[in-house]
């Protein structure tokens, strides 16, 4: 497991479980305790976790803070992807942005390089909130159950709303991409929303920074050839991409 993958795994574990033990992480990732300890110190220096004796714990129980912690992981790579993704958004388009942190960075990029007469559908309360300052756009926030720590909206009400909504381009984050599982996500509900929305998008694009390749999350979301493009950053390992079998990569 690469260093970025380890640290993302540690951060995810802290966010989900409130605290983690170095011994458990060392065994889970098959690396030394000293390696895990250095990873935790690195995350702590960035303010993403609190280093404690024998492990790490969450910095804050506020849901917005936890989202900010995830957003800060590989943020430069996400901003690079957002710049690439902007070229797929034209004036007058209807686009979908999911609840991932990469979609959030794309929303931030749109604020800096706005398009005219956009309609933006989103399953993220955080995306909707950051776009409220933009003029001349229509924001459609899907209804449903809100997951506080992710700011995501999902469930039967969201799926019902999607039945009557269509987009020119849909952008979807992911938890991992590998040759066996395909494109995966952490949560079942968000994956169901993504699957339904993809069927209502003319063009589907997955945003996946370099750390997602070779990794796998809990729920299968799309097959590799189910989406039109996968946008990544310049840190991508092209040999790994070829091994996985990704043929629609944009870097």
């Amino acid at each position: 497991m690469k260093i970025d993958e380890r640290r993302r795994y540690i951060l995810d574990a802290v966010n989900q479980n409130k605290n983690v033990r170095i011994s458990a992480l060392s065994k889970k990732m098959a690396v030394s305790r000293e390696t895990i300890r250095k990873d935790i110190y690195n995350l702590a220096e960035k303010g993403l976790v609190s280093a404690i004796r024998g492990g790490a714990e969450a910095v804050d129980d506020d849901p917005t803070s936890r989202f900010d912690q995830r957003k800060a992981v590989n943020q430069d790579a996400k901003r690079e992807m957002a710049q690439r993704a902007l070229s797929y958004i034209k004036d007058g388009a209807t686009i979908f942005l999911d609840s991932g942190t990469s979609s959030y960075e794309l929303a931030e990029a749109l604020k800096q390089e706005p398009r005219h007469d956009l309609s933006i559908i989103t399953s993220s309360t955080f995306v909707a909130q950051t776009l409220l300052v933009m003029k001349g756009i229509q924001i459609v926030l899907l209804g449903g159950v809100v997951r506080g720590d992710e700011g995501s909206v999902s469930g039967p009400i969201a799926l019902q709303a999607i039945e009557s909504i269509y987009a020119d381009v849909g952008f979807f984050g992911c938890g991992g991409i590998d040759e066996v599982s395909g494109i995966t996500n952490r949560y079942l509900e968000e994956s169901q929303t993504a699957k339904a929305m993809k069927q209502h998008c003319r063009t589907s694009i997955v945003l996946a920074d370099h750390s997602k390749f070779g990794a796998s999350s809990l729920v299968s979301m799309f097959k590799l050839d189910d989406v039109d493009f996968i946008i990544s950053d310049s840190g991508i390992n092209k040999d790994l991409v070829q091994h996985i079998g990704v043929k629609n990569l944009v870097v």
Side-chain angles (χ1 to χ4, degrees):
M1 187 178 290
K2 295 182 179 179
I3 185 169
D4 286 341
E5 295 172 350
R6 285 200 317 269
R7 291 174 182 175
R8 180 166 59 83
Y9 182 94
I10 293 169
L11 186 56
D12 285 346
V14 169
N15 289 337
Q16 292 175 17
N17 303 312
K18 308 299 183 186
N19 60 74
V20 293
R21 306 301 299 172
I22 290 175
S23 57
L25 291 171
S26 174
K27 183 177 180 180
K28 180 71 175 180
M29 291 187 276
V31 296
S32 70
R33 296 189 181 193
E34 184 59 28
T35 296
I36 298 298
R37 188 174 290 107
K38 289 179 180 178
D39 288 338
I40 288 175
Y41 287 158
N42 178 272
L43 292 171
E45 287 176 356
K46 296 177 180 178
L48 302 177
V49 302
S50 291
I52 60 175
R53 183 178 179 84
E57 64 181 11
V59 174
D60 199 314
D61 283 336
D62 177 64
T64 304
S65 295
R66 289 200 294 275
F67 183 83
D68 286 343
Q69 290 167 21
R70 281 207 314 112
K71 183 161 59 72
V73 177
N74 293 329
Q75 190 167 43
D76 288 342
K78 293 171 185 176
R79 288 172 176 168
E80 184 182 336
M81 291 190 301
Q83 289 301 310
R84 291 194 175 94
L86 284 175
S87 65
Y88 292 88
I89 303 175
K90 309 300 182 184
D91 289 344
T94 298
I95 68 170
F96 172 74
L97 296 177
D98 78 351
S99 57
T101 55
S102 294
S103 290
Y104 180 89
E105 287 299 338
L106 179 51
E108 287 290 311
L110 273 173
K111 289 163 62 176
Q112 302 302 317
E113 299 182 37
R115 306 298 193 259
H116 299 291
D117 195 28
L118 285 182
S119 294
I120 299 177
I121 308 159
T122 185
S123 56
S124 168
T125 60
F126 295 138
V127 166
Q129 184 177 29
T130 195
L131 290 174
L132 284 176
V133 299
M134 292 185 66
K135 297 180 179 179
I137 68 169
Q138 175 180 235
I139 301 173
V140 179
L141 177 61
L142 296 177
V145 178
V146 179
R147 186 191 299 274
D149 58 351
E150 295 292 330
S152 62
V153 182
S154 60
I157 297 175
L159 296 177
Q160 184 177 12
I162 290 170
E163 291 179 4
S164 59
I165 293 176
Y166 292 85
D168 296 304
V169 187
F171 296 93
F172 305 89
C174 69
I177 299 177
D178 72 9
E179 67 275 18
V180 176
S181 307
I183 301 168
T184 54
N185 201 333
R186 294 178 181 85
Y187 303 113
L188 175 62
E189 294 84 356
E190 280 81 346
S191 294
Q192 291 174 334
T193 303
K195 287 179 179 180
M197 195 63 222
K198 190 191 81 66
Q199 299 302 317
H200 286 228
C201 296
R202 286 194 179 94
T203 302
S204 54
I205 299 175
V206 168
L207 304 173
D209 70 66
H210 62 275
S211 69
K212 304 297 178 66
F213 290 82
S216 179
S217 286
L218 178 64
V219 183
S220 175
M221 190 164 62
F222 309 129
K223 294 180 180 178
L224 293 176
D225 56 0
D226 275 349
V227 297
D228 295 298
F229 303 103
I230 299 174
I231 295 179
S232 191
D233 63 278
S234 55
I236 192 75
N237 183 328
K238 293 185 178 180
D239 290 336
L240 178 58
V241 170
Q242 184 175 7
H243 173 74
I244 293 172
V246 175
K247 299 178 181 178
N248 51 358
L249 183 69
V250 177
V251 290

